[in-house]
Amino acid sequence: MNKTVLVSGGTGFIGSHTAVELINAGYKVIIIDNLSNSEKNIVDGIERITGTKVIFEQIDTCDIKALRGVFDRYDFDSVIHFAAFKAVGESVSEPLKYYRNNLISFMNILELMKEYTRHNIVFSSSATVYGDADVLPVTEQTPRKPATSPYGNTKQMCEDILRDCCAAYPVTHGIALRYFNPIGAHPTAILGELPRGVPNNLVPFITQTAAGIRKELSIFGNDYDTPDGTCLRDYIDIVDLARAHVAALNRMTDGKMTEKYEIYNIGTGKPLSVKELVERFEAVNNVPVPHKYAPRREGDVPSVYADPTLANKVLGWKAERDIDDTLRAAWKWQQSLS
């Protein structure tokens, strides 16, 4: 069994933590990333945590010539594809940027996997594919509704592309992991979420506000049909999420897939509101987070959270980290940056 895996977007928040868990599980990791939203020293962090040298190449997966070079140089049978733009708000204002990057990069990977007879791909999908779901929690059988942003639409389209490639090409096997809201940092505080400029995600904005980098946090909307009027989300610890990728890859490399294309929700099934998360962060870290309510943000749905039963049962994976520990890790990471 080939235990080498190509991780595209492997210096990003989710990719870097997944690389650590892959190495801990005995995989050899090759990371490619164009560093458009990450830093080269993330590779050093992965090596510090694992004590293992990591192969890294700075390439853009949209550049098929450069990507072909990676397929020529390295022998791997599996790919985990993270490389994508991911800011919901930016995707609304710059849709072409998102369609061009997120679709072409994925199609390039699949095309070369077919050409070089590489078998397994885990795709980084998202709960955004469910849109504004009618029934909660969502299961893998919940109908996908029209995406509320171009970012969400690229995830739906990539899922469809993967499904069709798995059906058409005997060589291709795929698992799409639909994950919910990844938060936290590695317990060592060596890796964490490192946004460039103003954060698009909630927890980095919370930690930067607590640290005094931001004046105050804006909570977008307090008039939703939820218990306290703020959006309801399923927050999953980044290390738990990383381990889900290892579980999916193990299923593929052990030959246990029952279909050529499988989908799993990766979440806790325990929703928290934005307001509750902010208050929880303040309480566990004993630090204030100045905040105000702002108008709703385009592309946000009121509530979405997972039924993770299928992943629990079939992948043998479940979310284990306590939310308080996750929020402590996020604050520890923020403090390590100053």
Side-chain angles (χ1 to χ4, degrees):
M1 182 176 69
N2 188 328
K3 293 275 283 187
T4 303
V5 55
L6 179 71
V7 182
S8 72
T11 58
F13 178 42
I14 306 172
S16 60
H17 286 79
T18 300
V20 166
E21 296 306 317
L22 285 166
I23 293 165
N24 288 344
Y27 286 92
K28 182 181 177 185
V29 170
I30 302 158
I31 290 174
I32 55 173
D33 202 301
N34 65 0
L35 303 181
S36 65
N37 193 37
S38 59
E39 306 292 340
K40 169 74 167 62
N41 64 10
I42 299 297
V43 177
D44 301 330
I46 295 167
E47 293 177 345
R48 279 174 62 200
I49 292 170
T50 62
T52 303
K53 187 75 180 162
V54 173
I55 297 168
F56 170 74
E57 295 212 13
Q58 183 176 346
I59 73 153
D60 190 330
T61 44
C62 288
D63 179 348
I64 195 161
K65 185 179 175 186
L67 189 59
R68 183 182 297 279
V70 172
F71 276 74
D72 277 334
R73 284 189 292 280
Y74 302 107
D75 179 26
F76 54 89
D77 200 40
S78 303
V79 178
I80 302 181
H81 182 66
F82 295 107
F85 293 147
K86 62 181 181 121
V88 171
E90 183 187 53
S91 79
V92 173
S93 59
E94 296 192 58
L96 281 178
K97 175 181 176 180
Y98 275 67
Y99 287 121
R100 184 177 293 114
N101 183 76
N102 293 6
L103 298 181
I104 290 173
S105 64
F106 189 48
M107 289 190 288
N108 283 349
I109 290 271
L110 287 168
E111 185 173 333
L112 291 175
M113 285 182 68
K114 174 175 175 276
E115 184 180 327
Y116 285 77
T117 321
R118 310 292 169 85
H119 293 87
N120 306 312
I121 182 162
V122 179
F123 173 61
S124 164
S125 193
S126 165
T128 55
V129 302
Y130 294 114
D132 189 2
D134 294 325
V135 178
L136 294 171
V138 294
T139 72
E140 290 79 1
Q141 278 69 50
T142 297
R144 295 185 326 185
K145 295 182 76 175
T148 56
S149 69
Y151 162 75
N153 205 22
T154 66
K155 292 299 185 185
Q156 289 187 345
M157 293 166 83
C158 284
E159 282 192 0
D160 293 346
I161 291 166
L162 181 56
R163 177 201 64 210
D164 293 346
C165 288
C166 289
Y169 309 141
V171 70
T172 307
H173 295 72
I175 290 180
L177 299 183
R178 292 174 176 169
Y179 28 85
F180 286 69
N181 290 67
I183 62 168
H186 197 269
T188 59
I190 292 172
L191 291 177
E193 192 165 5
L194 190 64
R196 286 193 174 163
V198 180
N200 287 297
N201 292 342
L202 176 60
V203 170
F205 215 112
I206 290 174
T207 61
Q208 289 188 13
T209 304
I213 298 165
R214 308 285 162 198
K215 183 184 167 192
E216 63 184 355
L217 168 73
S218 292
I219 296 176
F220 297 107
N222 64 342
D223 58 350
Y224 286 104
D225 184 18
T226 61
D228 62 21
T230 66
C231 288
L232 213 54
R233 293 291 183 267
D234 188 335
Y235 297 101
I236 179 160
D237 185 275
I238 187 63
V239 176
D240 279 335
L241 176 57
R243 288 174 179 157
H245 293 81
V246 178
L249 201 59
N250 287 344
R251 178 168 171 79
M252 304 181 99
T253 56
D254 292 345
K256 291 179 179 173
M257 289 182 72
T258 53
E259 307 287 339
K260 287 195 71 207
Y261 172 57
E262 297 177 352
I263 298 166
Y264 298 95
N265 283 338
I266 305 299
T268 66
K270 300 170 185 172
L272 275 178
S273 75
V274 174
K275 181 171 180 283
E276 285 174 317
L277 191 77
V278 173
E279 291 171 349
R280 197 82 167 256
F281 180 89
E282 291 179 318
V284 301
N285 293 304
N286 195 28
V287 60
V289 179
H291 56 276
K292 66 175 183 183
Y293 293 106
R296 294 182 180 192
R297 185 173 58 177
E298 196 169 1
D300 282 341
V301 299
S303 301
V304 65
Y305 53 97
D307 178 346
T309 304
L310 191 67
N312 298 166
K313 192 168 117 185
V314 179
L315 296 181
W317 168 91
K318 69 173 191 291
E320 295 175 344
R321 299 261 300 160
D322 180 78
I323 186 70
D324 290 352
D325 290 337
T326 301
L327 294 173
R328 284 188 195 100
W331 181 229
K332 186 179 173 186
W333 160 249
Q334 180 66 57
Q335 290 174 303
S336 78
L337 299 175
S338 54

